[in-house]
Amino acid sequence: MVALTFPDGARREFPNGITGFDIAKGISPSLAKRTVAMALDGTVADLNDPIDHDAQIEFINRDDPRALELIRHDAAHVLAEAVQTLWPGTQVTIGPVIENGFYYDFFRNEPFTPEDFEAIEKKMREIIARDKPFTKEVWDREKTKQVFRDKGEAFKVELVDAIPGTEPIKIYYQGDWFDLCRGPHMTSTGKVGNAFKLMKVAGAYWRGDSKNPMLTRIYGTAFAKQEELDAYLKQMEEAEKRDHRRLGRELDLFHFQEEGPGVVFWHAKGWTLFQTIIAYMRRRLAIDYDEVNAPQMLDKSLWETSGHWQWYRENMFAAQSAGDEAEDKRWFAIKPMNCPGHVLIFKHGLKSYRDLPIRLAEFGIVHRYEPSGAMHGLMRVRGFTQDDAHIFCTEDQLADECLKINDLILSTYSDFGFDGELTVKLSTRPEKRVGSDAAWDHAEAVMADVLKRIAAANNRIKTSINPGEGAFYGPKFEYVLRDAIGRDWQCGTTQVDFNLPERFGAFYIDADGAKKTPVMVHRAICGSLERFTGILLEHYAGHMPLWLAPQQAMVATITSDGDDYAKEVLAAARAAGLRAGIDLRNEKINYKVREHSLAKIPALLVVGKKEAAERTVSIRRLGKEGQQVLPLDAALKMLADEAVPPDMKRAKI
């Protein structure tokens, strides 16, 4: 017998080997009908799996958030069957669930194109309408390989070879069609529903190796309900309009080119925006942090000490003298992060417990190798600027430091216009880690308490625990903000480190005169400032608030009669601290208005003969109808006040 505990706390015994379906049917036929899977001790499993141990059991229907991954997983299988039905001889490889959808990789002499989607989706709907059950079989390894060899599925044979010998070989049928899969699946293809859509195709090398054959990857998405799919597609449409790469081109902010893969060529306006963000962060840090700068290149021995050379080398760039006759031919690593340099700065000179906490901040440029396929505009680059800092403190100071960091992160996000939902996740000890259990217990207890206090202080903050997702060197907080169109972005982090100070022999003298290793806290507010700039551009669709806008105002003339006055207005605007330009071209004013609106300039100061005589300006605001006529001094004061960064406004209050 097995004892199963239900969500309401009830505990019942059942014969060993009973299935979840039999239990559900025994409770109610309607429950069995609407249930698509079960969870045993929190792990999702096939509803028809036999249960051979005591467990907590839950029944999962299509509306359960946990079912979404199953819907997408099953949709990938339906996609594969549809493709092989329409184009016999096509080989299927892998089809995992990913964020916001799924994909499946296919091998075919002629790659698929979006023009094939209509036929594929039609066939998928036919398969779903048949509502064939998903049934699982466990096969012998050699039998499996032979079956796939006979089918001409060479990639599947490779996949079988890659499965550890201890794992069973699972085959899932949906009618006559079958696939190699770990599972789990829902009860039948009909449960997928029709709220799905194929999105795009891309090329992908088998197993990500350019030496292997090129496959066609078909991406799709699926949801439990049509309205959820519609909302997602609308979000994607809006995201495309807001794509920071497109805005970068249209607004002349930055570009990328092959000679510098994964590094940004900032244009004047883009660099102004970037430096405005850094200037804001620098002001916010000035009260509590000491800004430092560690070298860009350091001998690889330092990175061996830190552990990066052993564990992170594939993500690092290395350099040595290009001269053949150079005296020094040592290998240097271009820093992928700032933390080892900050430990060395902390170590320079004897530290007392009275000196702690010591907070070292740096806008350090770091380089990390990213595969070419992973790079994505500003969001994923090889060279970027981190706004990270490292705090060296005592164990007793850890909670206060985490709360102080939290306040800084939240107010920073609010200043940049992220006032919506925000999630703080606590990631706890992974299986492979450094540091004693006692140290982990203490750090996790402190951070769990901090998490409770964060949640209690602000009702727009959601909190969650990610068990086992901490770094190997300590637990961490992850801050996830939500943008204007509902997308989530993980930006800020707070990480406790038991590893690095000890590796470098960093210590302070405690009150009892003994040497003691400090607690080291890594923290980032924006993370990669390049990525954060990209997030901001998409959040605002390029229409930045006045304080952030690279060009805040443009003086434009109606006729040449206003040229002299326009130059006066420009000089006065710049004297008022505004980033302003001037347009004296012999073009119609409507043309100028349209052009500068497309350039996302927040304020257009229109002047002509009448304005010159009255010493006024006609202000047109981006995204607003009509215009406002004000005396020049009043107009500039209004704009200059609006252009004051939020942190400086608070300082004036």
Side-chain angles (χ1 to χ4, degrees):
M1 302 292 282
V2 291
L4 299 178
T5 305
F6 292 82
D8 63 357
R11 183 178 168 91
R12 291 175 57 189
E13 290 192 344
F14 296 91
N16 193 14
I18 193 170
T19 68
F21 176 79
D22 289 336
I23 296 171
K25 190 177 179 182
I27 296 171
S28 141
S30 62
L31 175 63
K33 189 175 180 180
R34 67 176 181 267
T35 300
V36 298
M38 64 180 172
L40 297 174
D41 291 332
T43 301
V44 178
D46 294 330
L47 189 61
N48 281 307
D49 275 356
I51 303 170
D52 58 6
H53 62 278
D54 297 351
Q56 290 187 328
I57 188 169
E58 298 172 85
F59 296 113
I60 299 172
N61 60 37
R62 281 188 85 252
D63 294 329
D64 190 301
R66 292 169 292 184
L68 184 57
E69 185 170 334
L70 298 174
I71 291 169
R72 290 169 174 172
H73 185 182
D74 291 6
H77 279 238
V78 171
L79 165 63
E81 181 183 354
V83 167
Q84 286 198 315
T85 304
L86 292 167
W87 292 277
T90 301
Q91 292 191 57
V92 296
T93 61
I94 57 169
V97 174
I98 57 173
E99 187 180 7
N100 297 320
F102 59 90
Y103 70 76
Y104 218 113
D105 287 346
F106 301 93
F107 180 74
R108 180 172 174 248
N109 290 332
E110 185 181 345
F112 294 104
T113 70
E115 283 69 40
D116 298 316
F117 286 179
E118 185 178 352
I120 298 172
E121 287 181 346
K122 183 181 177 184
K123 183 58 67 176
M124 287 176 70
R125 288 189 170 86
E126 290 175 11
I127 295 166
I128 290 165
R130 289 183 206 138
D131 197 22
K132 295 291 185 181
F134 282 103
T135 56
K136 178 171 63 182
E137 295 182 4
V138 178
W139 285 6
D140 172 81
R141 187 175 294 264
E142 290 306 315
K143 172 193 172 180
T144 309
K145 288 163 68 173
Q146 191 58 52
V147 168
F148 282 116
R149 279 195 204 100
D150 294 344
K151 284 168 60 72
E153 297 271 10
F155 297 96
K156 290 291 184 184
V157 176
E158 277 195 49
L159 287 174
V160 174
D161 283 333
I163 297 172
T166 54
E167 286 189 23
I169 308 295
K170 299 178 186 176
I171 301 292
Y172 278 85
Y173 277 86
Q174 52 199 63
D176 295 329
W177 192 87
F178 60 87
D179 199 4
L180 176 72
C181 183
R182 289 193 178 95
H185 284 273
M186 296 187 292
T187 51
S188 67
T189 59
K191 300 297 191 298
V192 172
N194 285 309
F196 69 88
K197 184 174 177 61
L198 302 183
M199 302 297 289
K200 62 178 182 179
V201 295
Y205 291 111
W206 171 236
R207 293 189 162 176
D209 189 336
S210 59
K211 297 175 184 174
N212 289 335
M214 175 65 80
L215 311 174
T216 300
R217 178 169 294 175
I218 298 179
Y219 287 93
T221 191
F223 290 85
K225 299 176 181 176
Q226 185 63 40
E227 53 263 37
E228 293 172 346
L229 174 62
D230 293 342
Y232 175 75
L233 294 176
K234 187 176 179 181
Q235 185 190 66
M236 290 299 98
E237 185 182 345
E238 185 61 32
E240 191 174 342
K241 294 178 191 171
R242 294 168 178 254
D243 191 313
H244 74 282
R245 295 166 298 177
R246 176 178 170 182
L247 291 167
R249 289 191 302 272
E250 293 175 353
L251 305 183
D252 191 27
L253 303 176
F254 58 84
H255 81 272
F256 296 88
Q257 63 185 68
E258 189 55 38
E259 289 81 357
V263 291
V264 189
F265 289 78
W266 287 106
H267 300 190
K269 288 195 285 186
W271 190 242
T272 298
L273 170 60
F274 191 73
Q275 289 301 316
T276 301
I277 296 168
I278 288 180
Y280 166 89
M281 291 306 307
R282 185 167 270 131
R283 290 193 304 271
R284 296 299 313 274
L285 300 180
I287 299 170
D288 292 317
Y289 290 80
D290 294 316
E291 186 176 338
V292 298
N293 189 265
Q296 198 73 19
M297 290 200 311
L298 292 161
D299 189 290
K300 77 178 178 73
S301 61
L302 175 129
W303 303 99
E304 288 171 339
T305 301
S306 71
H308 290 92
W309 197 255
Q310 294 92 322
W311 303 106
Y312 200 73
R313 184 167 47 179
E314 67 273 13
N315 303 110
M316 296 170 67
F317 291 95
Q320 65 176 178
S321 171
D324 293 335
E325 305 301 322
E327 178 188 346
D328 190 346
K329 295 296 285 185
R330 287 180 296 166
W331 278 101
F332 294 84
I334 302 172
K335 65 176 180 181
M337 49 197 68
N338 297 313
C339 23
H342 290 189
V343 178
L344 295 186
I345 292 171
F346 173 85
K347 281 185 66 180
H348 196 78
L350 196 61
K351 303 294 189 299
S352 161
Y353 71 96
R354 294 187 181 92
D355 300 317
L356 304 185
I358 291 174
R359 308 182 187 97
L360 304 179
E362 180 175 359
F363 298 98
I365 298 172
V366 300
H367 289 80
R368 299 176 187 175
Y369 176 75
E370 296 282 357
S372 56
M375 291 186 291
H376 179 74
L378 298 176
M379 303 303 192
R380 196 81 175 262
V381 289
R382 289 177 176 173
F384 57 96
T385 310
Q386 276 193 310
D387 71 333
D388 66 347
H390 299 92
I391 299 161
F392 301 88
C393 63
T394 68
E395 290 184 7
D396 291 342
Q397 294 168 333
L398 179 58
D400 286 341
E401 291 303 310
C402 288
L403 286 167
K404 187 183 280 287
I405 293 167
N406 177 72
D407 290 344
L408 178 59
I409 289 176
L410 297 187
S411 64
T412 297
Y413 292 169
S414 183
D415 282 351
F416 281 112
F418 298 104
D419 291 316
E421 188 175 284
L422 192 140
T423 303
V424 185
K425 302 176 182 178
L426 170 58
S427 299
T428 59
R429 71 192 76 185
E431 190 174 330
K432 294 182 179 178
R433 58 185 183 270
V434 298
S436 67
D437 286 346
W440 277 91
D441 290 342
H442 175 72
E444 287 180 351
V446 167
M447 295 186 80
D449 181 62
V450 169
L451 195 67
K452 288 179 185 175
R453 292 161 74 177
I454 289 170
N458 196 319
N459 58 14
R460 77 180 178 94
I461 295 175
K462 292 176 121 181
T463 60
S464 64
I465 307 287
N466 286 342
E469 294 297 316
F472 74 93
Y473 51 77
K476 64 179 179 179
F477 287 143
E478 293 181 352
Y479 288 78
V480 181
L481 54 83
R482 181 161 292 177
D483 71 8
I485 59 172
R487 297 173 300 177
D488 290 334
W489 302 92
Q490 194 271 304
C491 291
T493 55
T494 301
Q495 304 183 26
V496 179
D497 191 345
F498 302 128
N499 180 54
L500 215 56
E502 191 171 341
R503 276 181 172 267
F504 280 98
F507 66 89
Y508 65 93
I509 305 300
D510 208 356
D512 60 1
K515 293 180 180 178
K516 192 165 183 180
T517 305
V519 177
M520 185 177 179
V521 181
H522 306 245
R523 76 102 189 94
I525 309 297
C526 303
S528 160
L529 286 168
E530 283 78 2
R531 179 172 175 267
F532 192 73
T533 303
I535 294 169
L536 279 172
L537 283 168
E538 296 196 0
H539 177 63
Y540 286 109
H543 181 187
M544 311 302 283
L546 199 66
W547 75 275
L548 274 174
Q551 195 158 38
Q552 297 167 322
M554 179 63 68
V555 184
T557 53
I558 301 170
T559 64
S560 59
D561 291 341
D563 284 4
D564 290 341
Y565 179 57
K567 292 172 185 176
E568 285 186 51
V569 173
L570 175 66
R574 289 179 172 175
L578 294 168
R579 296 186 287 272
I582 192 167
D583 187 349
L584 301 177
R585 293 174 300 167
N586 186 24
E587 300 283 358
K588 291 182 178 179
I589 189 62
N590 287 343
Y591 176 86
K592 293 181 182 180
V593 169
R594 173 171 170 74
E595 190 171 272
H596 298 308
S597 296
L598 289 172
K600 309 289 187 185
I601 295 173
L604 193 61
L605 309 182
V606 178
V607 298
K609 191 173 180 180
K610 180 173 181 278
E611 286 79 11
E614 298 174 354
R615 298 199 61 79
T616 59
V617 292
S618 178
I619 305 174
R620 302 192 185 202
R621 305 299 290 263
L622 182 63
K624 294 182 180 178
E625 296 291 329
Q627 54 192 10
Q628 183 181 15
V629 179
L630 288 174
L632 175 59
D633 290 346
L636 294 181
K637 184 179 184 307
M638 178 183 73
L639 291 173
D641 287 345
E642 187 180 333
V644 176
D647 62 306
M648 296 177 73
K649 279 186 182 175
R650 283 195 300 273
K652 288 181 179 180
I653 295 173

